[in-house]
Amino acid sequence: MAYQLWYWTGIPGRGEFVRVVLEAGGVAYVDCAREKGDEALVKDMAKRRPEPFAPPYLVTGDLVIAQTANILDWLGRKHGLAPKNEAGRRACAQYQLTIADMVAETHDTHHPVASGLYYQDQKKEATRRAEDFRTNRMPKFLSYFARALGKNDWLVGDRWTYADTSLFVLVDGLRFAFPKRMKAVEADLPALHDHLKRVAALPEFSDYLVSDRRLPFGKGIFRYYPELDAD
Amino acid sequence: MAYQLWYWTGIPGRGEFVRVVLEAGGVAYVDCAREKGDEALVKDMAKRRPEPFAPPYLVTGDLVIAQTANILDWLGRKHGLAPKNEAGRRACAQYQLTIADMVAETHDTHHPVASGLYYQDQKKEATRRAEDFRTNRMPKFLSYFARALGKNDWLVGDRWTYADTSLFVLVDGLRFAFPKRMKAVEADLPALHDHLKRVAALPEFSDYLVSDRRLPFGKGIFRYYPELDAD
């Protein structure tokens, strides 16, 4: 039975981290809201137990799994998309949760006051927050992931895991949102560039990347506002 | 063998979510940095593999587990502090990750620009962010947790889990940081008040609450700035 994935239509958002591992792992799923619309999502979510606080969530049989890291840990264990040994699984979860932390901080560069307000209404605050993000947070997080990779092909173990597809989305999204800054930061961190290319070349995943199932960045977490970017 | 817990001294912070479940579950641990200091923590963390991005992390034998939700999932599975069935475990993880999201948003009410700057240097931005937090985010998150409790004693299943001790820290911390606002919000959500009392009365936990192992709120995530609070 194919998984039901529920996530907002129109933005890659946090749903993308689930979508990419399902795609790269060749796991069957239905992207429900893209077939039925966001109103159907809201209705569906309200009746699920445990009720998700927000999308994405995954439904399989009687099981409802919400929160991205929770979904990925489930898929990792169930479909061999994380190591079988405990240390490897915990390492994957650790990287995933750190990626999620950086994703939240990325979002807050353009929405530092309230996610319910327009960017234009918090532009001044965004300028300050983005400056700190570029100067302090980007090098700190990204050099951490480069160290975690070291000379290895993958973050954990000797084959790709969901931590790798998640790092792909993060780095790819940051390149979209902060092209100047990423060029400067990545110049010192070749491991990130090599890793991105390696993930993009995974057979099932490279198909996805050029398919219309993939939504472009621009809305949601990773947005390009030239005034928030700098070397 | 007792677990080694590593977390900054001087603040309850995210380490508190680990500490409370170890305490309430009667699981032996050494609070390493409180014995050896923050410098020892920094040194220890740098040599661990996988390297934690930040404390808290737990060490047991060869295993290093970082990221709060990851640590709690481990402890839940290992020590019966989460349900044994898959649906219950996933529900616990879901609630924990949603609590973590609210914790991050709470922190950002006083540090909306940069965690490396003083509150005084981002007070103007904090005023706006805190207002949105009080008006929109607090009712949204807290009514969600009250709905999740419903008429049950515990968030998941028929005995307490780490999701319950985490919700305790969250609600207790919010009462400290936003006393006026919490009074107003909790008036409509009696389930939260009852739940907090129920957790506080757990035998091992009630001992902890009055011990000097417990650090007071005031620094770290939950801070009381009267100007950020309102009904």
Side-chain angles (χ1 to χ4, degrees):
Chain A
M1 248 307 259
Y3 285 101
Q4 293 175 48
L5 168 64
W6 285 93
Y7 193 68
W8 304 118
T9 62
I11 56 169
R14 284 174 174 82
E16 188 65 6
F17 294 91
V18 182
R19 208 175 276 126
V20 292
V21 74
L22 289 165
E23 292 278 354
V27 179
Y29 72 102
V30 181
D31 211 333
C32 298
R34 288 184 72 184
E35 295 195 353
K36 298 178 185 173
D38 285 344
E39 267 186 58
L41 186 165
V42 172
K43 270 190 199 165
D44 185 88
M45 189 165 79
K47 72 172 196 225
R48 296 291 177 186
R49 294 294 174 272
E51 185 192 342
F53 181 73
Y57 61 94
L58 206 64
V59 180
T60 174
D62 286 339
L63 197 58
V64 180
I65 311 169
Q67 282 280 3
T68 310
N70 195 25
I71 298 170
L72 296 182
D73 181 62
W74 161 271
L75 292 172
R77 285 171 189 253
K78 200 79 181 175
H79 299 279
L81 305 171
K84 285 208 191 308
N85 64 83
E86 192 66 33
R89 282 177 173 171
R90 294 294 156 189
C92 269
Q94 172 181 325
Y95 293 134
Q96 174 58 39
L97 288 161
T98 307
I99 290 166
D101 286 345
M102 192 177 188
V103 164
E105 293 193 24
T106 305
H107 173 269
D108 281 7
T109 57
H110 49 75
H111 278 72
V113 173
S115 50
L117 291 177
Y118 289 111
Y119 164 63
Q120 276 69 22
D121 297 327
Q122 48 196 313
K123 213 169 158 175
K124 223 168 117 185
E125 293 87 349
T127 306
R128 285 193 78 193
R129 173 121 192 183
E131 192 192 344
D132 178 72
F133 184 74
R134 289 194 314 268
T135 311
N136 298 311
R137 305 303 282 170
M138 284 176 70
K140 187 173 162 84
F141 273 109
L142 294 173
S143 63
Y144 169 79
F145 290 119
R147 279 202 307 283
L149 279 166
K151 292 185 190 304
N152 302 318
D153 282 356
W154 311 110
L155 278 168
V156 185
D158 53 10
R159 62 151 290 178
W160 73 271
T161 68
Y162 69 79
D164 294 297
T165 46
S166 287
L167 183 59
F168 172 91
V169 176
L170 176 67
V171 172
D172 195 38
L174 288 170
R175 284 180 175 187
F176 175 85
F178 298 95
K180 285 185 188 166
R181 185 58 181 146
M182 278 301 275
K183 208 173 168 183
V185 173
E186 281 197 72
D188 298 327
L189 305 170
L192 290 183
H193 173 77
D194 295 347
H195 179 263
L196 187 118
K197 272 175 50 182
R198 208 171 288 126
V199 175
L202 290 172
E204 310 253 13
F205 194 54
S206 56
D207 290 347
Y208 167 71
L209 290 177
V210 293
S211 76
D212 61 5
R213 300 190 301 285
R214 188 189 192 200
L215 293 163
F217 293 126
K219 295 174 186 174
I221 299 159
F222 299 107
R223 308 187 189 187
Y224 176 52
Y225 295 118
E227 63 275 20
L228 299 185
D229 190 24
D231 290 354
Chain B
M1 252 303 262
Y3 286 102
Q4 294 175 47
L5 168 65
W6 286 92
Y7 192 69
W8 304 117
T9 64
I11 57 169
R14 285 175 174 80
E16 188 64 6
F17 294 91
V18 181
R19 209 175 276 125
V20 292
V21 75
L22 290 165
E23 292 279 353
V27 179
Y29 73 102
V30 181
D31 210 334
C32 298
R34 289 183 73 183
E35 295 195 354
K36 299 178 183 172
D38 285 344
E39 266 186 57
L41 186 164
V42 172
K43 269 190 198 164
D44 185 90
M45 190 165 79
K47 72 173 196 224
R48 296 292 178 185
R49 295 294 176 272
E51 184 191 343
F53 180 73
Y57 62 95
L58 206 66
V59 181
T60 174
D62 287 340
L63 198 58
V64 180
I65 311 171
Q67 281 279 0
T68 309
N70 195 26
I71 298 170
L72 296 182
D73 181 63
W74 162 271
L75 291 172
R77 285 170 188 255
K78 201 79 181 174
H79 299 279
L81 304 170
K84 284 207 191 310
N85 63 82
E86 191 67 34
R89 283 176 172 172
R90 293 294 156 191
C92 270
Q94 172 181 324
Y95 292 134
Q96 174 57 40
L97 288 161
T98 307
I99 289 166
D101 285 345
M102 192 179 188
V103 163
E105 292 193 23
T106 305
H107 173 269
D108 282 7
T109 57
H110 49 76
H111 278 72
V113 173
S115 49
L117 291 176
Y118 289 112
Y119 165 62
Q120 277 69 20
D121 298 327
Q122 48 197 311
K123 215 169 155 174
K124 221 167 118 185
E125 292 88 349
T127 306
R128 286 193 77 193
R129 174 119 191 185
E131 192 193 342
D132 177 71
F133 184 73
R134 290 195 313 270
T135 311
N136 298 310
R137 306 303 282 169
M138 284 177 70
K140 187 174 162 81
F141 274 108
L142 294 173
S143 64
Y144 169 78
F145 290 120
R147 277 201 308 283
L149 279 165
K151 293 184 190 303
N152 303 317
D153 282 356
W154 311 111
L155 277 168
V156 184
D158 54 10
R159 62 151 291 178
W160 72 271
T161 67
Y162 70 79
D164 294 297
T165 46
S166 287
L167 183 60
F168 171 91
V169 176
L170 176 68
V171 172
D172 196 38
L174 288 171
R175 284 180 175 188
F176 175 86
F178 298 96
K180 285 186 189 167
R181 185 57 181 147
M182 278 301 274
K183 210 173 166 183
V185 172
E186 281 197 71
D188 298 326
L189 305 171
L192 290 183
H193 174 76
D194 296 344
H195 179 263
L196 187 118
K197 273 176 49 182
R198 208 171 289 127
V199 176
L202 291 173
E204 308 253 13
F205 195 54
S206 57
D207 290 347
Y208 167 71
L209 291 177
V210 294
S211 76
D212 61 4
R213 301 190 301 286
R214 187 189 193 200
L215 294 163
F217 293 126
K219 296 175 184 174
I221 299 160
F222 299 107
R223 308 187 188 187
Y224 176 52
Y225 295 117
E227 64 275 21
L228 299 186
D229 190 23
D231 290 353

